[in-house]
Amino acid sequence: MLQGVSADRSVSMFTPLVVVELASDTKKEAIAWLLSRIRDKQQNGGAELLVEQLSPGLGTEKKEKPNLFLVGASWHRLLSGAEDVGLFKEHSDGSMRGFTCANKHNFKDFQGDGDGFLSMAECQYIIKHELDTLRAKDETHVPGHSQAKLYPGKSIIRRLQSKGILIQIFPLHEQEELKRLSFSWYKKVKLAFQPLDDIRHYYGEGQALYFGFLEYFTFALVPMALIGVPYYLFDWEDYDKYVIFAVFNLIWCTVILELWKRCSASLAYRWGTLSRKKAFEEPRPGFHGVLGFNPVTGRKEPLYPTAKRHLRVYLVSLPFVLLCLYLSLYVMMIYFHMEGWALSVHDEDPTFWTEILLFIPSIIYAVVIEVMNLIYRYAAEFLTEWENHRLESSYQNHLVLKVLVFNFFNCFASLFYIAFVMHDMMLLRQSLATLLITSQILNQFMEAFLPYWLQRRRNKKMINKVKNKRTLEDKEFPLAEQVRMEADMSTYLGTFDDYLELFLLFGYVSLFSCVYPLAAVLVVLNNISEVYSDAFKMCYVFKRPFSDPAANIGVWQLAFEAMSVIAVVTNCALIGMSPQVKDYFPDSETQLILWTVAIEHGLLAIKFILTFLIPDVPKHIQVKLARLEFESLEALKKKKILETSEFSKIDQ
Amino acid sequence: MLQGVSADRSVSMFTPLVVVELASDTKKEAIAWLLSRIRDKQQNGGAELLVEQLSPGLGTEKKEKPNLFLVGASWHRLLSGAEDVGLFKEHSDGSMRGFTCANKHNFKDFQGDGDGFLSMAECQYIIKHELDTLRAKDETHVPGHSQAKLYPGKSIIRRLQSKGILIQIFPLHEQEELKRLSFSWYKKVKLAFQPLDDIRHYYGEGQALYFGFLEYFTFALVPMALIGVPYYLFDWEDYDKYVIFAVFNLIWCTVILELWKRCSASLAYRWGTLSRKKAFEEPRPGFHGVLGFNPVTGRKEPLYPTAKRHLRVYLVSLPFVLLCLYLSLYVMMIYFHMEGWALSVHDEDPTFWTEILLFIPSIIYAVVIEVMNLIYRYAAEFLTEWENHRLESSYQNHLVLKVLVFNFFNCFASLFYIAFVMHDMMLLRQSLATLLITSQILNQFMEAFLPYWLQRRRNKKMINKVKNKRTLEDKEFPLAEQVRMEADMSTYLGTFDDYLELFLLFGYVSLFSCVYPLAAVLVVLNNISEVYSDAFKMCYVFKRPFSDPAANIGVWQLAFEAMSVIAVVTNCALIGMSPQVKDYFPDSETQLILWTVAIEHGLLAIKFILTFLIPDVPKHIQVKLARLEFESLEALKKKKILETSEFSKIDQ
């Protein structure tokens, strides 16, 4: 036991930030080589980081995860890394500027050595970046693993990852910080905003933007919900009153998306990601191709012809997606046939059993949809992998697009069918309510309770195990145990599913809430519980994710905007179909349709004009960005004039 | 006479590039002060340029334009100015890079002193920029002109301009170059592209992009014209065949606009304006407001609240524009009434006089439209001036938008009315043909022949005058005469009217050419003659304009894209109205409309997806730009590692 503690101490010579786990069959020489490369000086092409192997676990579990390594760095190294990754920090004049070691003392909160200047998440991000950009020199393969080929300039970590030698790399949680964050975030019931700055401080900008968007979206829904309640209370059956609601819907969803852009720009500016330049993106680990020279960097790198990728995208993936959509449509038609059949059976002979029969088609359909979504998700991942995208970002975009289209179709096709083919507003309202409520319950269960329960069981086991070995007064584990426990936690797979859920909810509200005004209320309630469950799972269920210096919500902004365009069309059609409006054109249906189409075009035009008129970045931030640019130009000019005058002195 | 020549020689101590004309009543001390400020060293806040007063004219005309000044600069000063304005030049590795004096020898074509490295247009642009950024120090007003207030940081030239002391500032033509350019451009009848690089070399990027666009547009129309001719020859009266033509139209106008973006990016890259950063924009001379501090530069500058400008735009200008549109609509309705009346008179009693009467409404309408356009143009300029925009670019955008909307309405409202209210395809075709042909003839006359004739007369007068004074063997004037003659030439007011004309032609073709397939042929013919007339007027009618480092055609790209969206809607409606399509839905008009609307929405969606899918910048240029960025990042990193290692050496 004493040995364990002392090993812990030898490890905590530096603050461990990131954990690297290698496969248990990794050769000794590979480990030694990797460690030396990580520790080597930057001039020699190393990463100049600190790294230690974690002492083996307590007692019998020695064979479990033998190759865990803790990586850290000196403050000096971290600061120079911050400059490498182009980190923006608050300057002493209040603006956000790219951090440089030369000007470090001009930054706010920079004191003495710079200890505490960078947040732990930033340090972890820097270490990740430095590890990722650790490149092979003249090695032809990883020592001891001849199948893991290397060539000069290849990222070592990515090769180890793609060959399965590196199992995972994750940043460590900070127990103290986490406790404080989780308390201010969700442990107290309060009427307050989320501590976005703290979330960003702990998880990075990408996560914080998601929670910021979730919060913004919830608040944006409140007016809808407030208007929806009286509609629900007083006009439940009077569904031709929904015209005003639909018009409100239209304006609302355009305006909130535009305002979110400004809001997101403000957040991104405050967090220093708005004007941060992205470093050159490395190929993703799974990318393969013929070895050649990258035309941009001149480095050796696999190359894969764009034309070939386009062929795969347009000739295989696109037809596959369309086929899936057709299949989904087909399944939907079967569902409607079954429903019709069940209804006719029930009408012929209304007994208790036929009453139950009425629910059967919906249940089957719901299950089939879930199964289809699942299978499709795997297929989409496989296909996108097969498309062989060079960049992680382009892989993500293609995957998001594929999954988005299919999910949208699966969720809304039946509603569209009911609304515009069957013209049955009562059924539409029923289906909407059913879909919304069941999907919410399912989601909350799958997302929060299940992982919570699994995690709790695992934790308990772990604690018991530890307790068996030694008697702990408090529940604080020594570092080695903490690392082992975190290595066992599930990996957070990014904000994809969270955004997808919000996207579908946004769809329910913006497309059809005029038919079922309570939708907004339900979504608000769901979002509030979503904040809590997401916060909980981020804090206690998953490994800490690496922070992601996002400046906006990326492709999702586009997705939400596309949805809002569809919402204009849908709402106009619903308005055109309402009995109220039809009364204005008693004689001619043609006139009604033409007017509806004309108004719809007008609304779309106004929507696009609004998008142009509302600046994406608030004025005061534009001014700050312009000032920075102006100052750097002026500085350059001054420097030049000085040089020129010196030059002319020499001339004379 | 000898004196004149010697004065010319003393002037040509340096190559004169730019002419500045001051009002004849400018005080002597103002002139002396201005010259000293222009000549002063940069360290002392001067412009460090060379400037000489032009010797007074020959003989009696001494009082005419007494204050003409020639401005030039040393090569050394021009090169440092090139760095100031952020000029991009071709590097010896073939890429375009921002010119810096420190790396000047790494640029292609840089030899010895740098003589001939910059084109004359570039030199003139640099001198304009240096004059514009010549700022007041502690003067409170222009000496001798107490009404021309100054404050530290105020641009002197702009104050002189706004107070009418500076009458004009223009770059000089190069007779030799101009002869060569005009010969290769339009003096020989040839089947070749325009010498865009030479045009850019002489007139700058903005002009060259206009001519590039004109050429591109003409070539893009050729397929339309080729398809149009057989349509015209064989199906003249069979106008329900236009469905295929309309579909072709739709695809065509989307694709050419997307491809133009790529084409324009290629040109702008080649000319070094694509990635060039714009310098901080000064307020336009007419801008006024309360003196304050610019939040970006910290300089003293008039400030005008944005909210106030918004109020003026939305509460005065917008209603005014709408009112004008209403008026134009009203005039159009009167025209249709008159036409109906004339037709009924002719039908009742068809004589020669009633036949003539038939033309009267069209003629009156055409004249009224021209008058309205003219008055509106003045009103728009007045209003936009009154809106008090800080930047020239924002002034231009607001003016373009105002004029565009009104011109679009005036030109196309009657066609839309005929097509979609009167449903008279024969009349539509007639009107279209009349409008196209008359507007072309008028335009060519107003644009080329009239200025040509005026200029010719003026030139002859001038030559005669000079001949009276002295006997010239060849027609080459001494410099002083050339300057005086150019000062008298009309000022080129920018590409506004040229683009507007193209925009309207594009409208005729994309909106309605399915009804009148010969439209494309006419527009192609017009464009070819337009190239010649525009080239001629640029070379011989107008003063040389300052070059404008444009990277694209700016707001016009947007205007053309908006037109192509309107074209989709219009063509779909025309298709839906065609008898051919109507035959498919013999029973139900509603079905027909719904299908048309659905297809239209689909086409619009495809259009937007295409806009996303086709990258705006060709791949090979993207790679080049990425490489530059990567190299600068790497250079920074290397520099930093060196510094750090030195730093750590000191540490040790």
Side-chain angles (χ1 to χ4, degrees), chain A residues 194-219:
Chain A
Q194 295 174 86
L196 287 182
D197 287 320
D198 296 339
I199 299 172
R200 176 246 166 182
H201 193 260
Y202 194 85
Y203 288 107
E205 291 78 17
Q207 285 298 322
L209 272 176
Y210 164 71
F211 283 103
F213 182 67
L214 177 58
E215 182 174 297
Y216 174 85
F217 181 47
T218 311
F219 277 101

Coordinates of all heavy atoms in Angstrom, one line a residue, chain A residues 194-219:
Chain A
Q194 N -27.5 29.2 -17.0 CA -26.5 28.2 -16.8 C -25.1 28.9 -16.6 O -25.0 30.0 -17.2 CB -26.3 27.2 -17.9 CG -27.5 26.3 -18.1 CD -27.4 25.6 -19.4 OE1 -26.8 24.5 -19.4 NE2 -27.9 26.1 -20.5
P195 N -24.2 28.4 -15.9 CA -22.9 29.1 -15.8 C -22.1 28.8 -17.0 O -21.1 28.1 -17.0 CB -22.3 28.5 -14.5 CG -22.9 27.1 -14.4 CD -24.3 27.2 -15.1
L196 N -22.4 29.5 -18.1 CA -21.8 29.1 -19.4 C -20.3 29.3 -19.4 O -19.6 28.5 -20.0 CB -22.4 30.0 -20.5 CG -23.8 29.6 -21.0 CD1 -24.3 30.4 -22.1 CD2 -23.9 28.1 -21.4
D197 N -19.9 30.4 -18.7 CA -18.4 30.7 -18.7 C -17.7 29.5 -18.0 O -16.6 29.1 -18.4 CB -18.1 32.0 -18.0 CG -18.5 33.2 -19.0 OD1 -18.3 33.0 -20.2 OD2 -19.1 34.1 -18.5
D198 N -18.3 29.0 -16.9 CA -17.7 28.0 -16.2 C -17.7 26.7 -17.0 O -16.7 25.9 -17.0 CB -18.4 27.7 -14.9 CG -18.3 28.9 -13.9 OD1 -17.4 29.7 -14.1 OD2 -19.1 29.0 -13.0
I199 N -18.8 26.4 -17.7 CA -18.9 25.3 -18.6 C -17.8 25.3 -19.6 O -17.1 24.4 -19.9 CB -20.2 25.2 -19.2 CG1 -21.3 25.0 -18.2 CG2 -20.3 24.0 -20.2 CD1 -22.7 25.1 -18.7
R200 N -17.6 26.5 -20.2 CA -16.6 26.7 -21.2 C -15.2 26.5 -20.6 O -14.3 25.9 -21.2 CB -16.7 28.1 -21.8 CG -15.7 28.4 -22.8 CD -14.8 29.5 -22.2 NE -13.6 29.7 -23.0 CZ -12.6 30.6 -22.7 NH1 -12.8 31.4 -21.7 NH2 -11.5 30.6 -23.4
H201 N -15.1 27.0 -19.4 CA -13.8 26.9 -18.7 C -13.4 25.4 -18.5 O -12.3 25.0 -18.6 CB -13.9 27.6 -17.4 CG -12.6 27.8 -16.7 ND1 -12.1 27.0 -15.7 CD2 -11.6 28.8 -16.9 CE1 -10.9 27.5 -15.3 NE2 -10.6 28.5 -16.0
Y202 N -14.4 24.6 -18.2 CA -14.2 23.2 -17.9 C -14.2 22.3 -19.1 O -13.4 21.4 -19.3 CB -15.2 22.7 -16.9 CG -14.8 21.4 -16.2 CD1 -13.9 21.4 -15.1 CD2 -15.2 20.2 -16.7 CE1 -13.5 20.2 -14.6 CE2 -14.8 19.0 -16.2 CZ -14.0 19.0 -15.1 OH -13.6 17.8 -14.5
Y203 N -15.2 22.5 -20.0 CA -15.4 21.6 -21.2 C -14.9 22.2 -22.5 O -14.9 21.5 -23.5 CB -16.8 21.2 -21.3 CG -17.2 20.2 -20.2 CD1 -18.0 20.6 -19.1 CD2 -16.8 18.9 -20.2 CE1 -18.4 19.8 -18.1 CE2 -17.1 18.1 -19.2 CZ -17.9 18.5 -18.2 OH -18.3 17.6 -17.2
G204 N -14.7 23.5 -22.6 CA -14.3 24.1 -23.8 C -15.5 24.7 -24.5 O -16.7 24.6 -24.1
E205 N -15.2 25.4 -25.7 CA -16.2 26.2 -26.3 C -17.3 25.4 -27.0 O -18.5 25.9 -27.0 CB -15.5 27.1 -27.4 CG -14.6 28.2 -26.7 CD -13.3 27.7 -26.3 OE1 -12.9 26.6 -26.7 OE2 -12.6 28.3 -25.5
G206 N -17.0 24.3 -27.6 CA -18.0 23.5 -28.3 C -19.1 23.1 -27.4 O -20.3 23.3 -27.7
Q207 N -18.8 22.6 -26.3 CA -19.8 22.1 -25.3 C -20.6 23.3 -24.8 O -21.8 23.3 -24.7 CB -19.1 21.5 -24.1 CG -18.6 20.1 -24.4 CD -19.8 19.2 -24.7 OE1 -20.8 19.3 -24.2 NE2 -19.5 18.3 -25.7
A208 N -19.9 24.4 -24.5 CA -20.5 25.6 -23.9 C -21.5 26.2 -24.9 O -22.6 26.6 -24.6 CB -19.5 26.6 -23.5
L209 N -21.1 26.1 -26.2 CA -22.0 26.7 -27.2 C -23.3 25.8 -27.3 O -24.4 26.3 -27.5 CB -21.3 26.7 -28.6 CG -20.6 28.0 -28.9 CD1 -19.9 27.9 -30.2 CD2 -21.5 29.2 -28.9
Y210 N -23.1 24.5 -27.2 CA -24.3 23.6 -27.2 C -25.2 24.0 -26.1 O -26.4 24.2 -26.3 CB -23.9 22.1 -27.1 CG -25.1 21.3 -26.8 CD1 -26.2 21.1 -27.7 CD2 -25.2 20.7 -25.5 CE1 -27.3 20.4 -27.3 CE2 -26.4 20.0 -25.1 CZ -27.4 19.8 -26.0 OH -28.5 19.1 -25.7
F211 N -24.7 24.1 -24.8 CA -25.6 24.4 -23.7 C -26.1 25.8 -23.9 O -27.2 26.1 -23.5 CB -24.8 24.2 -22.4 CG -24.7 22.8 -22.0 CD1 -23.5 22.1 -22.2 CD2 -25.8 22.1 -21.6 CE1 -23.4 20.7 -21.9 CE2 -25.7 20.7 -21.3 CZ -24.5 20.1 -21.4
G212 N -25.3 26.7 -24.4 CA -25.8 28.1 -24.7 C -27.0 28.1 -25.6 O -28.0 28.7 -25.4
F213 N -26.8 27.2 -26.7 CA -27.9 27.2 -27.7 C -29.2 26.5 -27.0 O -30.3 27.0 -27.3 CB -27.4 26.3 -28.9 CG -28.4 26.2 -30.0 CD1 -28.8 27.3 -30.7 CD2 -29.0 25.0 -30.2 CE1 -29.8 27.2 -31.7 CE2 -30.0 24.9 -31.3 CZ -30.3 26.0 -32.0
L214 N -28.9 25.5 -26.3 CA -30.1 24.8 -25.6 C -30.8 25.8 -24.7 O -32.1 25.9 -24.8 CB -29.5 23.7 -24.7 CG -30.5 22.9 -23.9 CD1 -31.6 22.3 -24.8 CD2 -29.8 21.8 -23.2
E215 N -30.1 26.6 -24.0 CA -30.7 27.6 -23.1 C -31.4 28.7 -24.0 O -32.6 29.0 -23.7 CB -29.6 28.3 -22.3 CG -30.1 29.3 -21.3 CD -29.0 29.8 -20.4 OE1 -28.4 28.9 -19.7 OE2 -28.6 30.9 -20.5
Y216 N -30.7 29.2 -25.0 CA -31.3 30.2 -25.8 C -32.6 29.7 -26.5 O -33.6 30.4 -26.5 CB -30.3 30.6 -26.9 CG -30.9 31.5 -28.0 CD1 -30.8 32.9 -27.7 CD2 -31.4 31.1 -29.1 CE1 -31.3 33.8 -28.7 CE2 -31.9 32.0 -30.1 CZ -31.9 33.3 -29.8 OH -32.4 34.2 -30.8
F217 N -32.6 28.5 -27.0 CA -33.7 27.9 -27.7 C -34.9 27.8 -26.7 O -36.0 28.1 -27.0 CB -33.2 26.5 -28.2 CG -34.3 25.7 -28.9 CD1 -35.0 26.3 -29.9 CD2 -34.5 24.4 -28.6 CE1 -36.0 25.6 -30.6 CE2 -35.4 23.7 -29.3 CZ -36.2 24.2 -30.3
T218 N -34.6 27.4 -25.4 CA -35.6 27.3 -24.4 C -36.3 28.6 -24.2 O -37.5 28.7 -24.2 CB -35.0 26.7 -23.1 OG1 -34.3 25.5 -23.5 CG2 -36.1 26.3 -22.2
F219 N -35.4 29.6 -24.0 CA -36.0 30.9 -23.7 C -36.8 31.5 -24.9 O -37.8 32.1 -24.8 CB -34.9 31.9 -23.3 CG -34.6 31.8 -21.9 CD1 -33.4 31.1 -21.5 CD2 -35.4 32.4 -20.9 CE1 -33.1 31.0 -20.1 CE2 -35.1 32.3 -19.6 CZ -33.9 31.6 -19.2

